Amino acid sequence: MAQLGEHMQRTKSEILHNEAQNHLVGGVNSPVRAFKSVHGNPIYFEKASGAIVIDVDGNKLVDFVQSWGPLIHGHSHPKIIEMVNKKMQNGTSFGAPHIGEIELAKRVKKRFSHMEKVRFVSSGTEAVMSAVRLARGYTGRDYLIKFEGCYHGHVDSLMVNSGSGMATFGIASSPGIPKNTVATTLVAPLDDDEAVEYLFQQHGDDIAAVVIEPLPANNGLLIQRKDFLIKLRNLCDKYGALLIFDEVISGFRFKDGSYGDLVGVTPDITSLGKVIGGGLPVGAYGARGEIMEKLSPIGPVYQAGTLSGNPLAMAAGMMTIDLLDDSAYDRLESLGLLLEESIKPVLEKHNHPVRLVRLGSLFWFSPGSGVPPSRADLIPKNAGELYSDIHKGLLEKGYMLAPSAYEIGFIATVHQEKHILGMVEALDEVLSDLM
Ligand SMILES: *Cc1c(COP(=O)(O)O)cnc(C)c1O
């Protein structure tokens, strides 16, 4: 078996990828796994434990992707595996209520104190899609405001871009989405109070909700001014619209509460996913009772799911949250800080146009120099080019980062200092080679 850092052969991955392309579109079931934007081929995993994944060729990689966010305790955490295993003996799906749903709902509500009721679904996409329907049903209005560079899953009405820098009607980012579906989606740049104000002035009485990742983390890590988020809250209140925070990535990532708590803004509805399923498919949304009770079976807004509240998924989520005690959060923060502090001199030494943006256990190699961007259009157009050599170089040295310049990295509680320092050292070498 190849050890960390040895030259890696990927013969078996190549063979499987060739075969997969006969059966699966592009060989993958989610496009970003395809390595297209870093000009490589996907790596086939065999097994994973803690911070380490082992591919089908026996290469070991330190994983900073962690399944794109859910695995805050790393791969196959023994306690989560044990819990799921135990529950599995009692059945894999009930299609009927069980105590696990109550238990996970209690944990979610404890952290998201504005939620009086929770509804579980099976993915982040479903969570946001359903939150939007609920907001429209509750307000009796059709329009949405979303932000350029925020991703909310592949929800039709939110798969929308905007023209450069202007607040405008959305244009669908994918064929297959009817014009009429996005005709009620308004798009504003992030970090732009005036643009949102303008949209409310134009369409205020028709706007059902403002949907935002309060910590935008799907198009780089575009940290927002607190005042901007407060502004959104105030505009929603003034015009009777609901504020939806999509915390599918940021939820349960911070010691002091939701990201809303951190900035002192309480949304009307929060959507969750990723961490709350601990590696099994879970999404959730929640709000105060008056809003949630518009949902069927109490109210008229319909939303359902065969596998919603799945007992194995609830159990994985429960254990994941229970393992997130103060010391787990402190550990995530100190590992994040170690990354930030150790990488600084390396980036300075090489004068390479890439910055580290970090908040807690989330980090982004942000292509460019100077002040990190707060809006999608401030990310340099050559970001992909700047990133792909770094990605490839680190992969060769045994460190796996997301195969896209626009995706962030995830630190898990099981990462060790040597993994962080090893990655920084590898980056030092990669940047030297690039000179
Ligand atoms: C990942 C993500 C989604 C979509 O979740 P899926 O489980 O992939 O459907 C939605 N919103 C945000 C902010 C996300 O990070």
Side-chain angles (χ1 to χ4, degrees):
M1 183 182 292
Q3 288 307 305
L4 258 178
E6 270 178 36
H7 185 70
M8 294 190 188
Q9 296 286 329
R10 298 228 178 76
T11 322
K12 288 184 184 165
S13 268
E14 301 281 325
I15 291 169
L16 287 175
H17 181 53
N18 284 335
E19 189 186 355
Q21 289 176 86
N22 296 326
H23 308 294
L24 304 165
V25 181
V28 295
N29 281 307
S30 195
V32 77
R33 296 177 195 167
F35 276 54
K36 223 170 139 181
S37 71
V38 289
H39 316 294
N41 285 325
I43 300 170
Y44 279 71
F45 289 7
E46 176 119 334
K47 58 182 173 182
S49 170
I52 307 292
V53 301
I54 301 176
D55 71 13
V56 287
D57 291 286
N59 302 303
K60 279 188 186 174
L61 298 162
V62 179
D63 184 12
F64 287 103
V65 183
Q66 294 294 338
S67 194
W68 306 85
L71 304 179
I72 200 164
H73 302 298
H75 294 275
S76 45
H77 190 287
K79 290 212 165 129
I80 298 171
I81 299 288
E82 188 195 337
M83 177 79 155
V84 172
N85 224 332
K86 200 175 112 200
K87 292 287 175 189
M88 192 160 60
Q89 310 309 315
N90 297 335
T92 55
S93 178
F94 297 146
H98 61 97
I99 193 171
E101 297 164 296
I102 303 173
E103 291 295 325
L104 190 59
K106 280 184 184 165
R107 286 160 174 79
V108 169
K109 281 174 59 178
K110 202 167 157 205
R111 180 141 282 246
F112 292 83
S113 52
H114 75 94
M115 291 187 187
E116 288 170 358
K117 298 272 167 65
V118 182
R119 170 66 60 87
F120 289 112
V121 291
S122 299
S123 71
T125 295
E126 243 191 300
V128 187
M129 182 183 81
S130 310
V132 163
R133 182 179 301 152
L134 177 58
R136 283 171 159 164
Y138 175 81
T139 57
R141 300 171 176 184
D142 288 344
Y143 280 64
L144 306 169
I145 295 179
K146 64 114 25 199
F147 296 88
E148 192 186 359
C150 282
Y151 176 67
H152 301 291
H154 60 92
V155 179
D156 274 2
S157 60
L158 297 174
M159 284 277 293
V160 167
N161 276 337
S162 73
S164 54
M166 274 296 292
T168 173
F169 277 97
I171 300 161
S173 347
S174 164
I177 299 176
K179 281 195 205 75
N180 285 344
T181 304
V182 294
T184 46
T185 304
L186 306 162
V187 186
L190 284 161
D191 193 21
D192 187 339
D193 300 45
E194 282 170 21
V196 187
E197 218 161 280
Y198 172 79
L199 291 175
F200 268 106
Q201 277 160 15
Q202 297 296 308
H203 305 281
D205 293 342
D206 297 318
I207 294 171
V210 172
V211 188
I212 189 169
E213 296 177 74
L215 175 61
N218 277 283
N219 191 60
L221 194 58
L222 306 175
I223 299 170
Q224 298 299 293
R225 279 177 301 117
K226 190 176 159 171
D227 285 348
F228 176 63
L229 298 169
I230 293 172
K231 180 81 184 179
L232 300 182
R233 178 69 274 175
N234 292 340
L235 283 168
C236 284
D237 290 344
K238 180 173 168 191
Y239 287 94
L242 298 186
L243 181 61
I244 301 177
F245 274 0
D246 178 353
E247 291 221 45
V248 171
I249 276 196
S250 55
F252 285 98
R253 278 269 157 195
F254 299 99
K255 182 181 179 180
D256 293 330
S258 67
Y259 195 75
D261 292 336
L262 263 56
V263 292
V265 178
T266 306
D268 297 293
I269 308 178
T270 299
S271 296
L272 296 168
K274 299 195 169 112
V275 168
I276 61 160
L280 271 77
V282 182
Y285 59 109
R288 59 184 181 271
E290 169 216 359
I291 297 173
M292 291 304 280
E293 277 158 18
K294 288 279 181 232
L295 271 182
S296 185
I298 296 182
V301 177
Y302 195 74
Q303 186 271 308
T306 302
L307 292 173
S308 293
N310 174 269
L312 307 187
M314 296 293 105
M318 221 185 309
M319 184 52 82
T320 297
I321 292 173
D322 289 349
L323 290 168
L324 279 171
D325 55 11
D326 280 358
S327 76
Y329 283 115
D330 289 344
R331 180 168 175 77
L332 291 172
E333 175 59 27
S334 75
L335 289 168
L337 192 64
L338 179 68
L339 173 62
E340 190 175 321
E341 287 180 344
S342 56
I343 213 165
K344 218 171 150 195
V346 170
L347 294 177
E348 275 167 15
K349 179 172 107 189
H350 293 283
N351 200 19
H352 191 82
V354 65
R355 307 154 282 211
L356 184 86
V357 180
R358 176 192 77 93
L359 213 55
S361 51
L362 307 176
F363 66 89
W364 178 41
F365 285 119
S366 169
S369 44
V371 180
S374 59
R375 297 197 325 238
D377 62 325
L378 297 176
I379 301 173
K381 295 286 169 282
N382 63 344
E385 252 169 77
L386 288 171
Y387 181 77
S388 75
D389 287 339
I390 292 179
H391 177 265
K392 191 166 170 235
L394 286 177
L395 200 54
E396 279 305 307
K397 294 180 189 299
Y399 295 90
M400 194 173 70
L401 289 151
S404 159
Y406 300 92
E407 301 287 348
I408 62 169
F410 297 90
I411 296 172
T413 54
V414 293
H415 277 111
Q416 295 168 19
E417 298 196 346
K418 68 174 183 194
H419 298 139
I420 306 274
L421 296 174
M423 193 239 289
V424 171
E425 198 182 313
L427 181 69
D428 193 3
E429 292 167 13
V430 170
L431 293 179
S432 296
D433 292 347
L434 288 178
M435 282 296 155

